[in-house]
Amino acid sequence: MDPELLERITARRADLDELEEQLTKQLAEVRAERDELAVAERVLERASEQLTDERASAAPASRQVGGRAVMPIPHRTPDVEETILPPDYQRTLAAVRQAAGPVMARQVGEMLGVDISVRAKLEPLRGKLVRLVDRGWLRKLPDVRFTTRL
């Protein structure tokens, strides 16, 4: 047998043994991290379920008014977050917040894409703004403009 060839085979076997050792170590690390991710995923799912349950129990139940289901607008308190508001009220509140200063109902309507030339479309928005004022989410200035609470 050729001694040079035997030396190359031995060197290659040593390289492969070292590579196998590194790969085995990496595989063990990957498996450990996958296990950790699986645990984190289960914890996140449980936390998400609990949060959903808490929000559902904290959300105001809809009520019947004039034969229609309506969602009451809760009063603003330190322990009530705006996420409890119905989505259209959240968008209205966000539009007022995004304005550079106090805004008229018309300006809010423009920001929300409401056809402000039609009074029948603008009045429901004005009603939402007034309800948000009445419940402490917004302020209404004497000049009939709306702004966020301090």
Side-chain angles (χ1 to χ4, degrees):
M1 212 188 220
D2 185 5
E4 188 179 308
L5 185 57
L6 187 58
E7 188 177 310
R8 285 176 50 200
I9 290 172
T10 305
R12 182 65 180 148
R13 181 172 283 133
D15 288 345
L16 291 174
D17 288 345
E18 185 178 324
L19 181 59
E20 181 182 23
E21 190 176 312
Q22 289 174 356
L23 290 174
T24 301
K25 185 177 178 182
Q26 284 180 339
L27 183 59
E29 290 170 359
V30 166
R31 286 182 176 154
E33 188 171 345
R34 279 182 137 179
D35 291 344
E36 289 173 8
L37 286 174
V39 169
E41 209 170 30
R42 285 193 300 272
V43 168
L44 183 60
E45 285 174 7
R46 285 186 195 139
S48 178
E49 288 171 2
Q50 286 177 342
L51 184 58
T52 301
D53 292 346
E54 287 173 10
R55 283 186 179 160
S57 65
S62 63
R63 297 186 184 141
Q64 292 288 325
V65 174
R68 293 178 45 197
V70 294
M71 179 73 71
I73 307 306
H75 287 275
R76 181 178 182 219
T77 60
D79 60 327
V80 175
E81 294 187 27
E82 67 185 60
T83 54
I84 200 167
L85 294 172
D88 52 335
Y89 282 84
Q90 289 181 38
R91 284 190 298 276
T92 303
L93 189 58
V96 174
R97 280 205 177 111
Q98 290 171 356
V103 290
M104 302 288 287
R106 255 179 204 290
Q107 294 167 295
V108 176
E110 288 173 348
M111 290 188 279
L112 295 174
V114 173
D115 184 359
I116 60 168
S117 65
V118 179
R119 185 178 176 121
K121 298 204 179 212
L122 187 59
E123 287 308 312
L125 174 62
R126 191 180 321 278
K128 286 179 187 168
L129 289 164
V130 169
R131 271 189 292 289
L132 288 169
V133 169
D134 292 343
R135 304 310 195 287
W137 294 96
L138 292 176
R139 275 188 322 146
K140 186 175 180 183
L141 302 177
D143 62 358
V144 195
R145 292 184 301 159
F146 299 89
T147 187
T148 58
R149 306 250 350 136
L150 298 177

